[in-house]
Amino acid sequence: MRKKIGRIRDVARESGVSIATVSRVMNSNSNVKPETRQRVLEATKRLDYVPNPAARALTTKRTQTIAAIIPTIENSVFAKFVAAIEQAMSKQNYSLVLSVSNADDALELAAAEKLLAMGAEGFILSGRDHGDILINLLRRRQIPFAFTSVFDPTSDVATIGYDNSALAASAIRYLAEKGHSEIVVVHGPLVESDRTVARKVGAISAGHLLNRLGFVETNLSVAGGKTAVLEVLAIQPRATAILCFSDVLALGVYFGLGDAGLHVPKDVSVMGFDNLDWSKEITPALTTINLPARQMGTAVAEQLMRTLEDGTPLVSQELNGTIIERNSVRIIPRQK
Amino acid sequence: MRKKIGRIRDVARESGVSIATVSRVMNSNSNVKPETRQRVLEATKRLDYVPNPAARALTTKRTQTIAAIIPTIENSVFAKFVAAIEQAMSKQNYSLVLSVSNADDALELAAAEKLLAMGAEGFILSGRDHGDILINLLRRRQIPFAFTSVFDPTSDVATIGYDNSALAASAIRYLAEKGHSEIVVVHGPLVESDRTVARKVGAISAGHLLNRLGFVETNLSVAGGKTAVLEVLAIQPRATAILCFSDVLALGVYFGLGDAGLHVPKDVSVMGFDNLDWSKEITPALTTINLPARQMGTAVAEQLMRTLEDGTPLVSQELNGTIIERNSVRIIPRQK
DNA sequence: CTGTTAGCGCTTTCAC
DNA sequence: GTGAAAGCGCTAACAG
């Protein structure tokens, strides 16, 4: 269905050289006499020639394409991450092919097969848990791949991200230091995200600093955060702080709390995760954990491209999340 | 750098047939005796064979890849749009390659060249205004492409989207009907978006219904909306309604108004554009215009795939935006 | 510095 | 129903 545009031999004829020379010019490598190059370039312009990517890929066995499969692109920190990957790849003339898995192993596998069949040479996966079939498929085909949004030095697959468990523990610790001893964590579906599970584990590990630590699972959306408030109030009416494993949830919690007539942080403190860009604009500004999404995108992209270029093995890389202290957490005076 | 995985001839040898038969099986078309097919399929499994996409593309001249270039993926309605495109394409075994232009013609052109060099067979562009070079490039190469987020029956390029001007006019009309006669519009950078320009034109066209209509340009972000409030208050302190050309801006306006001690909608009414998912959760729920982003994504994807399959020409398609009436607009009693 | 030539792995007539 | 063979457009030795 596509048109027949100029081929390399047309350019060769037009400029009076062989196709090999045209190829050399197109790949701006080998030695070509400047004036010959010039002539070829002109013919190229004139014929509006662009090398056929399929033919090129067929001979070079390279497609310069890397795939990323993310759980969702909507409403989250993934957009930032993807934008960074895209940018880093563009610089080195690589392309990103994106697919969304909805946190479903089967969909993820299907997506991966499609991407593979498109010629993806490397894969960026989110989180640490993936179907065995997928992992084996990638391994058998010797496709380099990395897990992101997690850092786990013990993993045999390179993980590029942060320590979710430690981050959640530090959030609890932070809250405890501010005098909160009854906290409820609001989080998205555990089955959909090993990062959420890791965070929960981390929170529990710091639970001894508290008198009481509760968990409320909800949909990972503003609406989910909002409805979670009701549950929080029901199960732990005396909680003084709500820790949300995502800023999106925190936004919903703000709304829910507002509707319940509760003031942040006077009545209830709120802390988030992600540091989405509106978090510093809301009143009170949200205390949250900044996740280095951009940096992470750049890091995976660069590692993967490197690996594809010269075989450098992928290595795990820890990126630090940091607590951004703002005004949504109240200091509760010690009341011994 | 890539490994040598099983090729078609390996499968042929393994299953004792010719490569032509293997090809037939892989393309599940022509007649192949069931048991032969079976044998081939088994060999395929055993050797973990997947047809080489480059070789296939080289002979068929098809890549089953469509490119989309969007201004930004962060913080907006584009995420929804892209998700829908992705989904629609997946169903028909097409792949999406995405690039971000930051609303810059030069970047857009560069992105397009890269995507073309990757083998994109069709293009999804955002808005109506694009560099001539890009458009000519696409035309010369006879690549089908469509403009989205706009509907303009007079355009010679297919436009798939909504009538931004009419939508903005209807928003002003709606507000006027509720008794508002002094309105300020808060919008993103005009130079970056022909949609924004079209909306402004539409708003102005309905301006005769008002006593006063002002415009404040700001960054297209929550922060931008928030700071715009100060300007609104400065230039038109008596405005009773703020119309935001994006919900993201409206969120910022809510925050800014709150900080200024102004209540929505008692003191100032607010209306948005986009119907992002949190808009119904915020208090008061935001009256906004729903833009059919998903539907639009599905529509372009399907038209483009159709065109690529059988040459059906692309046609403009209008999708309707609708006012979602909620609680952020107060009714001002006629006070003649 | 430039040309010749041999494939890359697949699809697709055309025979049988 | 199946096989043989001719490319698809390009890159990469290898000569010269």
Side-chain angles (χ1 to χ4, degrees):
Chain A
M1 218 75 284
R2 236 31 288 108
K3 74 168 294 194
K4 50 172 160 321
I5 62 168
R7 290 140 303 166
I8 196 170
R9 63 163 156 283
D10 298 325
V11 179
R13 191 177 337 101
E14 176 87 3
S15 49
V17 298
S18 73
I19 62 167
T21 299
V22 177
S23 175
R24 291 191 183 98
V25 172
M26 295 316 294
N27 296 291
S28 41
N29 56 346
S30 335
N31 313 334
V32 176
K33 198 197 312 182
E35 50 178 285
T36 309
R37 157 184 307 281
Q38 194 49 37
R39 246 177 327 131
V40 172
L41 252 18
E42 276 161 15
T44 294
K45 270 277 105 72
R46 211 156 36 233
L47 298 184
D48 207 34
Y49 172 71
V50 172
N52 178 317
R56 172 176 270 174
L58 185 55
T59 26
T60 60
K61 298 182 183 335
R62 293 296 319 275
T63 60
Q64 311 253 103
T65 294
I66 290 175
I69 304 182
I70 58 177
T72 168
I73 198 178
E74 293 179 54
N75 189 10
S76 86
V77 72
F78 283 109
K80 254 186 186 161
F81 175 55
V82 170
I85 296 176
E86 223 278 311
Q87 227 177 298
M89 296 217 213
S90 264
K91 277 194 197 129
Q92 297 190 42
N93 243 292
Y94 269 70
S95 297
L96 203 218
V97 261
L98 191 66
S99 232
V100 175
S101 70
N102 291 317
D104 175 313
D105 274 4
L107 280 180
E108 184 174 54
L109 178 61
E113 284 172 340
K114 200 191 59 179
L115 296 167
L116 231 29
M118 267 199 72
E121 300 186 88
F123 274 75
I124 297 173
L125 266 19
S126 299
R128 180 168 45 64
D129 294 352
H130 300 274
D132 286 345
I133 313 184
L134 172 60
I135 300 304
N136 289 333
L137 175 62
L138 262 15
R139 286 236 168 86
R140 277 199 308 267
R141 301 181 71 86
Q142 302 190 34
I143 303 281
F145 62 99
F147 294 156
T148 56
S149 297
V150 292
F151 171 70
D152 174 1
T154 70
S155 165
D156 46 345
V157 171
T159 54
I160 298 175
Y162 27 79
D163 183 336
N164 288 284
S165 173
L167 249 23
S170 78
I172 294 287
R173 210 172 307 119
Y174 172 85
L175 256 11
E177 275 163 13
K178 298 298 174 195
H180 295 274
S181 57
E182 266 216 28
I183 299 176
V184 177
V185 169
V186 171
H187 60 77
L190 292 172
V191 295
E192 288 184 4
S193 165
D194 53 72
R195 281 84 69 215
T196 302
V197 173
R199 290 176 194 177
K200 180 165 179 178
V201 168
I204 291 174
S205 78
H208 63 277
L209 302 169
L210 273 26
N211 290 332
R212 192 157 168 210
L213 174 62
F215 291 88
V216 169
E217 175 166 327
T218 184
N219 287 328
L220 190 44
S221 66
V222 174
K226 188 171 171 184
T227 57
V229 168
L230 303 176
E231 199 173 333
V232 169
L233 262 22
I235 66 167
Q236 236 169 288
R238 295 183 26 195
T240 56
I242 297 178
L243 169 60
C244 301
F245 281 172
S246 156
D247 280 358
V248 167
L249 254 18
L251 184 58
V253 165
Y254 265 57
F255 295 161
L257 252 14
D259 285 1
L262 264 14
H263 182 272
V264 179
K266 189 162 61 66
D267 301 314
V268 184
S269 293
V270 177
M271 183 165 176
F273 241 91
D274 284 352
N275 191 28
L276 296 185
D277 48 346
W278 50 261
S279 65
K280 65 175 179 302
E281 314 298 340
I282 198 169
T283 301
L286 181 66
T287 290
T288 186
I289 295 189
N290 179 61
L291 298 182
R294 295 213 102 81
Q295 215 184 315
M296 189 168 76
T298 308
V300 229
E302 288 180 347
Q303 274 213 46
L304 240 16
M305 291 188 289
R306 181 93 198 274
T307 299
L308 292 170
E309 294 300 334
D310 63 17
T312 307
L314 259 14
V315 297
S316 284
Q317 198 172 334
E318 178 163 22
L319 302 172
N320 296 310
T322 47
I323 294 179
I324 307 289
E325 195 158 10
R326 291 200 278 239
N327 314 317
S328 62
V329 175
R330 170 178 162 230
I331 299 179
I332 297 187
R334 264 215 152 24
Q335 53 189 81
K336 166 44 86 44
Chain B
M1 220 74 286
R2 242 24 295 107
K3 73 168 294 194
K4 51 173 159 320
I5 62 168
R7 289 139 305 166
I8 195 169
R9 60 162 157 283
D10 299 325
V11 180
R13 190 178 334 101
E14 176 88 4
S15 49
V17 299
S18 73
I19 63 168
T21 299
V22 176
S23 175
R24 292 194 181 95
V25 172
M26 295 316 294
N27 296 292
S28 40
N29 56 346
S30 336
N31 313 334
V32 176
K33 199 197 310 180
E35 49 178 286
T36 309
R37 157 184 305 280
Q38 194 49 38
R39 245 179 328 131
V40 171
L41 253 19
E42 277 160 15
T44 293
K45 269 276 104 71
R46 211 156 37 234
L47 299 183
D48 206 36
Y49 172 72
V50 171
N52 177 317
R56 172 176 270 175
L58 184 56
T59 27
T60 59
K61 299 185 184 332
R62 293 296 320 275
T63 59
Q64 311 253 104
T65 295
I66 290 174
I69 304 182
I70 58 176
T72 169
I73 198 180
E74 294 179 54
N75 190 9
S76 88
V77 72
F78 283 109
K80 253 186 187 159
F81 175 54
V82 170
I85 296 176
E86 222 278 311
Q87 228 177 299
M89 296 217 214
S90 264
K91 276 192 199 131
Q92 297 190 41
N93 243 292
Y94 269 71
S95 297
L96 202 218
V97 261
L98 191 66
S99 232
V100 175
S101 70
N102 291 317
D104 175 314
D105 275 4
L107 280 181
E108 183 173 55
L109 177 60
E113 284 173 341
K114 199 191 59 179
L115 295 166
L116 231 30
M118 267 199 72
E121 299 186 272
F123 275 74
I124 298 173
L125 266 19
S126 298
R128 180 169 46 65
D129 294 351
H130 299 274
D132 286 345
I133 313 183
L134 171 60
I135 300 305
N136 289 333
L137 175 63
L138 261 17
R139 286 235 168 87
R140 277 197 309 266
R141 300 182 70 87
Q142 302 190 33
I143 303 280
F145 63 99
F147 294 155
T148 55
S149 297
V150 292
F151 172 70
D152 174 0
T154 72
S155 166
D156 44 347
V157 171
T159 54
I160 299 176
Y162 27 79
D163 183 336
N164 287 284
S165 173
L167 249 23
S170 78
I172 294 287
R173 209 173 306 119
Y174 172 85
L175 256 11
E177 275 164 12
K178 298 299 174 194
H180 295 275
S181 58
E182 266 215 27
I183 299 176
V184 177
V185 169
V186 172
H187 60 77
L190 293 172
V191 295
E192 288 183 3
S193 166
D194 54 72
R195 282 83 69 214
T196 302
V197 173
R199 290 176 194 178
K200 180 165 180 178
V201 169
I204 291 173
S205 78
H208 63 277
L209 302 169
L210 272 25
N211 289 332
R212 193 158 168 210
L213 174 61
F215 291 89
V216 170
E217 175 166 327
T218 186
N219 287 328
L220 190 44
S221 66
V222 174
K226 189 170 170 185
T227 58
V229 168
L230 301 176
E231 200 173 333
V232 169
L233 262 22
I235 67 167
Q236 236 169 287
R238 295 184 26 195
T240 57
I242 298 178
L243 169 61
C244 301
F245 281 170
S246 157
D247 280 358
V248 166
L249 254 20
L251 184 58
V253 166
Y254 265 58
F255 294 160
L257 252 14
D259 286 1
L262 263 16
H263 183 272
V264 179
K266 191 162 62 62
D267 302 314
V268 183
S269 293
V270 177
M271 183 164 177
F273 241 90
D274 285 349
N275 192 26
L276 296 186
D277 49 345
W278 51 261
S279 65
K280 65 174 179 302
E281 313 298 341
I282 200 170
T283 302
L286 181 68
T287 291
T288 186
I289 296 189
N290 179 61
L291 298 181
R294 295 214 101 81
Q295 215 184 314
M296 189 168 76
T298 308
V300 230
E302 287 179 348
Q303 273 213 47
L304 239 17
M305 292 188 289
R306 181 93 198 274
T307 300
L308 292 170
E309 296 299 334
D310 63 16
T312 306
L314 258 16
V315 298
S316 284
Q317 197 173 336
E318 179 164 22
L319 302 173
N320 295 311
T322 47
I323 294 179
I324 308 288
E325 197 159 8
R326 291 199 278 239
N327 314 315
S328 62
V329 175
R330 170 177 163 233
I331 299 179
I332 297 187
R334 264 218 153 22
Q335 56 190 79
K336 166 35 97 31

